[in-house]
Amino acid sequence: MLRGGEEKAKSGGKGCRNLEETWKIIEQDLHGSGAKLIMRLLEVEPTALQFFPFKHANNVSADDEEVRGHGRLIIQMFGRAVRNQNNLARLDPELKAVGKMHEKLHMDGSLFAKAGDALLWLLKTEWAQKRWDQEGKAWEDLVGFVVKGLAGGMRKASDPVALANS
């Protein structure tokens, strides 16, 4: 579902404004939106739970404060991308730093793409449902850029230079 994310998310014009309008809906409840994202990710990829700070909770739910708090952080990263649509490259250092933090947890970088897919699913089925035909491609491009940036912060196990310099 994710595209390469190389191009801007329809910077300028209607695509840009549509993302900002949808983002206003999401940011009205960052904790709740983030919890929905995490719950969707765990629904499609239950093994992702092991990488979250709440992994030992008896019952992970969207009402759990740790789920809501961590979800808010994830959602806010995408919000920064929406606000910086005209200069997404500005986010590269931050995205790579977050990717590197997750690498220290021995997380598989493919989970970034699965989180992106979870966000796109929520956008398509809930937050941007009525406007998906107009803004779906722009969201896919934006999410693809963020996912690629996050994954770019992780060293490749097959890269002996990166491993030697760690």
Side-chain angles (χ1 to χ4, degrees):
M1 177 176 254
L2 291 175
R3 299 192 194 292
E6 291 293 327
E7 60 189 85
K8 292 180 185 176
K10 292 194 178 189
S11 60
K14 190 174 180 181
C16 196
R17 284 190 303 277
N18 283 345
L19 298 190
E20 291 166 358
E21 289 173 22
T22 299
W23 180 251
K24 287 177 185 176
I25 295 167
I26 296 167
E27 74 178 347
Q28 288 176 7
D29 182 10
L30 290 172
H31 285 89
S33 298
K36 286 179 183 183
L37 174 63
I38 287 180
M39 297 311 295
R40 175 62 183 175
L41 173 61
L42 294 176
E43 180 183 322
V44 298
E45 188 60 51
T47 62
L49 180 61
Q50 66 185 311
F51 300 107
F52 287 101
F54 45 83
K55 63 185 170 193
H56 297 297
N58 290 334
N59 186 18
V60 176
S61 77
D63 296 327
D64 182 279
E65 285 306 312
E66 282 188 291
V67 171
R68 294 170 63 78
H70 198 84
R72 177 185 57 84
L73 294 173
I74 296 169
I75 287 288
Q76 285 178 316
M77 178 65 67
F78 289 102
R80 284 191 288 285
V82 170
R83 286 188 300 278
N84 287 286
Q85 290 175 73
N86 294 321
N87 188 3
L88 287 172
R90 178 184 313 175
L91 294 178
D92 273 336
E94 181 180 2
L95 294 170
K96 285 182 173 54
V98 172
K100 189 174 184 96
M101 282 185 344
H102 285 80
E103 179 183 42
K104 291 178 182 177
L105 300 172
H106 305 288
M107 190 187 97
D108 181 344
S110 69
L111 287 177
F112 292 132
K114 292 180 182 182
D117 285 342
L119 177 61
L120 290 172
W121 183 83
L122 285 166
L123 284 160
K124 188 174 185 173
T125 61
E126 190 171 328
W127 298 318
Q129 184 179 21
K130 294 178 182 172
R131 294 191 300 263
W132 188 254
D133 289 343
Q134 294 83 29
E135 62 188 66
K137 171 136 177 31
W139 274 112
E140 288 172 351
D141 290 343
L142 184 88
V143 169
F145 177 86
V146 171
V147 166
K148 185 175 180 181
L150 291 166
M154 302 181 95
R155 292 181 310 238
K156 306 290 184 236
S158 61
D159 182 356
V161 174
L163 293 175
N165 292 327
S166 61

